[in-house]
Amino acid sequence: MVDVAKSKEIQRAVQEALAFTEQVDVLVNNAGLGYFSTIEESNMATVRYMFEVNVFGLAEMTKALLPQFRQHRSGTIVNISSALALTTLPTMGFYSATKYAVEGYSDTLRKELAPLGIHVLTVEPSGARTNWAGSSSQKELPQITDYANFQQMVETMDEGVTKSPGNPKLIAKAIIEAVENPDTPDHLPLGNFAYKGSLENLRGLTREIEHHKDISLSTDD
């Protein structure tokens, strides 16, 4: 186990891995926390720590292994993002923000490493039957009356541990197959919500951009 919010633990884990094997072929950045609250009522200390784990921990773990990936001019970095980086839901705004950050980070990293023969795969799973919504998350029940309609949504998040549609074994199988595929994809949405939600969001964004095309193009001289 590695606490990715602690640099010393990351360095220790990398040293132990490289002592065990001369070459790491695949890095899977899977560590992450969930947080459920309306944006206005969120505890910012909790939010900052979630960013520390979900974003900066992922980035620091990657940075620690990049020298050996570059040395061998090969390998795959798998960053576990979320369907909520492709679409959003109420009470998950700051969690989505961490995963949007992972998307931007991964897209840039991919462009920097592709000439070196290193792949970056961003995986966007839907809800899965893991402890992500249980012991690996924190929840703040809405106290402001205007957000009362979201209270049940937060209260029932624990049910995702047993009732989410995503099968962790099938998710792992899909990731392994994608990594082993000679044509490794850049993005891999997994599950019905990720697939349909991402397409709906992207199509809506495309329509909006096209609708305001004249305004967008009017700002260059």
Side-chain angles (χ1 to χ4, degrees):
M1 296 290 290
V2 181
D3 185 345
V4 297
K6 297 179 179 178
S7 297
K8 289 184 178 180
E9 289 203 21
I10 289 175
Q11 294 301 324
R12 173 186 56 78
V14 170
Q15 290 171 5
E16 289 178 356
L18 294 178
F20 178 77
T21 179
E22 293 183 358
Q23 180 175 346
V24 175
D25 296 311
V26 180
L27 167 64
V28 179
N29 283 310
N30 187 50
L33 299 174
Y35 182 61
F36 309 104
S37 172
T38 64
I39 288 177
E40 184 176 354
E41 297 174 290
S42 293
N43 181 309
M44 295 310 294
T46 302
V47 168
R48 288 187 177 92
Y49 183 70
M50 180 172 59
F51 268 88
E52 194 67 41
V53 173
N54 293 8
V55 181
F56 299 116
L58 175 149
E60 191 159 356
M61 178 62 79
T62 302
K63 186 175 183 178
L65 277 167
L66 277 177
Q68 75 94 42
F69 278 118
R70 289 189 292 101
Q71 177 186 352
H72 296 288
R73 289 297 196 265
S74 66
T76 302
I77 298 168
V78 180
N79 289 333
I80 305 299
S81 178
S82 169
L84 293 173
L86 302 174
T87 187
T88 59
L89 290 173
T91 75
M92 299 182 192
F94 279 115
Y95 175 77
S96 285
T98 67
K99 294 306 184 177
Y100 270 78
V102 168
E103 294 282 330
Y105 166 88
S106 300
D107 287 349
T108 303
L109 186 67
R110 184 179 301 112
K111 292 178 180 179
E112 293 176 353
L113 298 183
L116 306 180
I118 303 165
H119 301 286
V120 177
L121 166 62
T122 312
V123 182
E124 296 100 350
S126 303
R129 295 188 294 276
T130 69
N131 282 326
W132 169 79
S135 60
S136 294
S137 69
Q138 292 192 44
K139 304 166 185 66
E140 306 280 353
L141 289 176
Q143 302 298 316
I144 298 174
T145 304
D146 287 339
Y147 301 129
N149 56 316
F150 298 129
Q151 183 165 346
Q152 185 178 8
M153 186 174 186
V154 176
E155 286 178 330
T156 57
M157 278 299 168
D158 284 340
E159 296 178 4
V161 175
T162 56
K163 295 184 179 180
S164 288
N167 184 323
K169 292 182 179 180
L170 294 180
I171 290 173
K173 181 175 181 288
I175 293 172
I176 292 170
E177 290 176 351
V179 170
E180 293 179 342
N181 191 327
D183 187 23
T184 301
D186 294 342
H187 294 270
L188 188 63
L190 295 175
N192 185 69
F193 176 72
Y195 176 77
K196 292 185 177 180
S198 61
L199 288 180
E200 181 179 354
N201 191 43
L202 290 170
R203 286 166 179 161
L205 181 60
T206 299
R207 287 193 299 270
E208 186 174 10
I209 291 172
E210 288 292 349
H211 183 70
H212 297 289
K213 176 182 177 180
D214 292 342
I215 298 174
S216 296
L217 299 182
S218 70
T219 59
D220 291 343
D221 57 18

